[in-house]
Amino acid sequence: MESKKVVIAGAGLVGSLWALYMGKRGHTVNVYERRPDMRKTLIDGGRSINLALSNRGWKALEGVGIGDEVRKVAIPMYRRVMHAANGELSHQPYGKEGEAIYSVSRGGLNELLMTEAEKLEDVNLHFNQKCEGIDFKLNNAHFRSYDTDEKTQVKADLIFGTDGAFSAVRSSFQKSDRFNYSQQYIDHGYKELSIPANADGSHKLEREALHIWPRGNFMLIALPNPDGTFTCTLFLAFEGKHAFEHLNTLTKARQFFETHFSDALDLMPHFDAEWEENPISSLVIIRCFPWSKNGKVALLGDASHAIVPFYGQGMNSGFEDCTVLSEMMDAHSDDDWEQLLKAFETKRKPDADAIADLAMRNFVEMRDLTGNADFLLRKKIENNFAKKHPQKWIPLYSMVTFSHLRYSDALKEGARQDDIMEQVMAMPQIETIWDSVAVEEKMLELLG
Ligand SMILES: Cc1cc2nc3c(=O)[nH]c(=O)nc-3n(C[C@H](O)[C@H](O)[C@H](O)COP(=O)(O)OP(=O)(O)OC[C@H]3O[C@@H](n4cnc5c(N)ncnc54)[C@H](O)[C@@H]3O)c2cc1C
């Protein structure tokens, strides 16, 4: 393929990674980011925010040779630790022996990606530059500098919009004909809190685990950071019986935590300040199509498919966009970008829709079912069967998190498994015979 002049709007996780991919292929890449350079300026008030990175994300990082660098700062989380309302703990491994999802710092990973991208001679990053839209006729991207208020128009062969869920590049698509778009805010929002380290720097809760306090319609989760702290996130409805609307004073918020998360509250000495200072943020699902125009402008990551965070797949799926598009570039060596981008969006859209659905479904599972006896029994049966017949049964969570199976195929297979498990769970005395030959045989028969 010919070397192109490439503009990327948004140096977040996906934009910085895509700059690396394009730079390594010999394209001239200019990345424009609305925020200041986070390596020099404190962003988010210095809060430590972390994300779960899993196999799809790792593959994309390894595709540009930086997996090992990221591994140095990632903490494996081998299991879920569930904190019941009475303080009792129960555990669920995420996958097979040795399989883990990894807690990484959002800011740390973003900085690393930017630094790696900038090492390439033909990749340049420009900060405080807000994209204000695209002129599809001239193939210009419009930017405004926050430093000087100067407006610039940058001409490019290829423009990628990686400017997140509220993408300005996508806004230009929205003004064009036959572009489909939907945005759905879910009923829940979130607030971040933290658990500090012990005096010796160790973690106050089990380190290599993702902690969940499932409470039916709401939940608290905590992911470990390398400095001994945990980043906690409360997911709660905006309105309703248990809702942010009722926690409008610190006293009420404290009472709520004392009632539902008293063991966590005991570990949060900065609760009052964090509750007051940290915002309540909303969660949005974005779907749109097409993702490209004229073979010259394309959307990647949250800009084209923002999802709720409950499967830990938003960033992973955005990173997988990079893997898939890069692999397709290898296959389409004839420089026909119009055809390539059309093929990419056609292939990828069903997978983006599938992970959007799966992520909503996992919310119910995390907040509600992880504390439910039937659900835990079903998981035990599945895991038992999967151990004996690994070729016949891969749990849905593993298909999504630990495999590279298309999300749309995982969704289909998950629906088939649901049908089977419904029949298995209806077997008489299933609680006592769950690991019997009868159950195994029934599952084999249902699998056909
Ligand atoms: C609470 C929460 C928890 C999450 N947890 C996980 C998780 O555990 N695992 C996981 O895989 N995913 C997770 N996600 C999802 C993940 O954060 C996103 O999918 C990911 O950040 C998408 O990357 P992106 O680069 O497409 O967009 P973003 O990360 O949003 O980056 C967009 C970039 O574009 C810049 N920008 C925006 N507008 C403009 C403009 N007009 N001009 C120039 N620049 C612009 C922004 O400043 C930003 O730097 C979570 C999301 C939330 C909200």
Side-chain angles (χ1 to χ4, degrees):
M1 277 184 155
E2 261 176 47
S3 170
K4 301 278 182 202
K5 199 177 159 206
V6 176
V7 161
I8 298 178
L13 296 166
V14 174
S16 305
L17 180 62
W18 189 237
L20 256 167
Y21 267 88
M22 292 302 273
K24 286 206 172 224
R25 284 175 174 271
H27 300 288
T28 304
V29 183
N30 281 287
V31 188
Y32 295 81
E33 165 58 44
R34 182 182 59 180
R35 294 182 296 184
D37 187 344
M38 60 168 70
R39 294 164 297 180
K40 298 177 187 152
T41 317
L42 206 60
I43 289 180
D44 283 326
R47 273 187 290 152
S48 150
I49 299 171
N50 46 25
L51 300 158
L53 175 65
S54 51
N55 287 30
R56 295 171 199 267
W58 284 116
K59 181 175 175 185
L61 295 171
E62 266 141 26
V64 281
I66 56 168
D68 287 343
E69 223 24 61
V70 178
R71 214 163 271 115
K72 286 183 200 157
V73 289
I75 301 181
M77 298 182 288
Y78 294 101
R79 56 188 190 168
R80 288 167 166 169
V81 175
M82 268 90 66
H83 297 245
N86 64 4
E88 258 175 38
L89 303 187
S90 55
H91 308 101
Q92 244 179 47
Y94 270 120
K96 292 187 289 216
E97 181 84 36
E99 274 179 337
I101 57 176
Y102 289 77
S103 175
V104 290
S105 146
R106 175 192 283 275
L109 178 57
N110 208 153
E111 287 181 15
L112 190 150
L113 290 168
M114 291 195 294
T115 300
E116 290 297 319
E118 270 185 335
K119 282 183 190 165
L120 300 172
E121 207 184 310
D122 282 331
V123 177
N124 287 296
L125 270 58
H126 312 270
F127 295 96
N128 289 321
Q129 291 283 346
K130 182 179 187 238
C131 179
E132 296 197 317
I134 305 295
D135 180 333
F136 293 114
K137 282 204 184 97
L138 299 174
N139 225 42
N140 280 343
H142 295 214
F143 295 99
R144 185 163 63 83
S145 162
Y146 280 144
D147 295 325
T148 60
D149 211 31
E150 192 191 339
K151 291 188 176 192
T152 45
Q153 295 185 21
V154 184
K155 200 167 188 57
D157 300 317
L158 290 167
I159 299 170
F160 291 94
T162 52
D163 47 348
F166 300 99
S167 166
V169 177
R170 192 190 61 235
S171 293
S172 293
F173 276 71
Q174 283 169 242
K175 288 174 203 136
S176 67
D177 193 30
R178 303 202 63 223
F179 180 73
N180 289 317
Y181 168 74
S182 78
Q183 142 181 328
Q184 181 201 350
Y185 282 98
I186 66 165
D187 295 340
H188 288 66
Y190 70 95
K191 188 186 264 283
E192 271 148 357
L193 300 161
S194 73
I195 295 176
N198 287 316
D200 64 358
S202 59
H203 290 78
K204 285 191 194 289
L205 296 169
E206 180 180 329
R207 177 179 184 267
E208 294 187 340
L210 192 154
H211 295 263
I212 309 180
W213 289 257
R215 296 292 183 266
N217 192 35
F218 57 99
M219 67 175 176
L220 179 72
I221 65 168
L223 274 74
N225 296 308
D227 63 0
T229 62
F230 278 88
T231 305
C232 307
T233 313
L234 169 67
F235 293 100
L236 180 69
F238 281 97
E239 287 110 21
K241 185 170 173 220
H242 297 299
F244 280 117
E245 66 172 340
H246 305 303
L247 310 185
N248 49 3
T249 65
L250 190 53
T251 313
K252 289 182 191 165
R254 268 199 159 272
Q255 269 167 3
F256 180 79
F257 266 71
E258 269 154 19
T259 309
H260 300 289
F261 309 116
S262 64
D263 55 343
L265 183 63
D266 289 345
L267 306 175
M268 294 177 170
H270 310 307
F271 180 87
D272 292 3
E274 289 179 345
W275 186 269
E276 300 276 38
E277 278 162 28
N278 295 351
I280 300 169
S281 304
S282 51
L283 293 165
V284 70
I285 303 167
I286 304 276
R287 297 176 198 258
C288 65
F289 200 78
W291 296 351
S292 72
K293 202 157 177 68
N294 309 332
K296 292 184 184 303
V297 186
L299 303 169
L300 296 177
D302 273 17
S304 46
H305 51 82
I307 60 175
V308 291
F310 306 113
Y311 229 121
Q313 286 295 316
M315 165 189 66
N316 286 290
S317 65
F319 282 4
E320 196 176 56
D321 284 352
C322 300
T323 308
V324 172
L325 184 51
S326 174
E327 285 172 358
M328 291 177 84
M329 283 164 78
D330 291 334
H332 287 68
S333 50
D334 55 4
D335 221 35
D336 184 344
W337 278 88
E338 181 146 19
Q339 206 211 355
L340 168 62
L341 291 172
K342 273 201 162 65
F344 168 72
E345 68 195 12
T346 306
K347 174 167 186 191
R348 198 74 186 132
K349 169 74 170 154
D351 294 326
D353 286 341
I355 192 58
D357 292 345
L358 284 161
M360 262 323 276
R361 171 184 160 144
N362 212 46
F363 183 27
V364 178
E365 181 166 324
M366 280 177 90
R367 70 184 197 209
D368 201 352
L369 301 178
T370 44
N372 170 307
D374 271 1
F375 172 78
L376 295 175
L377 176 61
R378 178 185 152 161
K379 288 279 148 194
K380 263 200 318 196
I381 298 171
E382 281 189 60
N383 290 341
N384 194 40
F385 186 79
K387 249 187 224 154
K388 289 187 185 153
H389 302 281
Q391 307 304 326
K392 288 191 186 290
W393 195 279
I394 306 173
L396 177 60
Y397 188 86
S398 296
M399 286 189 270
V400 171
T401 308
F402 300 123
S403 87
H404 301 286
L405 204 66
R406 293 183 60 173
Y407 289 126
S408 51
D409 289 339
L411 181 66
K412 274 185 227 140
E413 183 59 16
R416 189 168 86 107
Q417 291 181 347
D418 280 348
D419 286 347
I420 292 173
M421 288 313 294
E422 216 169 283
Q423 298 182 58
V424 171
M425 292 299 286
M427 288 172 76
Q429 268 102 47
I430 186 66
E431 333 54 70
T432 47
I433 62 158
W434 67 272
D435 58 349
S436 66
V437 176
V439 170
E440 186 181 349
E441 279 175 355
K442 175 87 175 168
M443 288 180 75
L444 285 169
E445 177 203 319
L446 291 169
L447 276 166

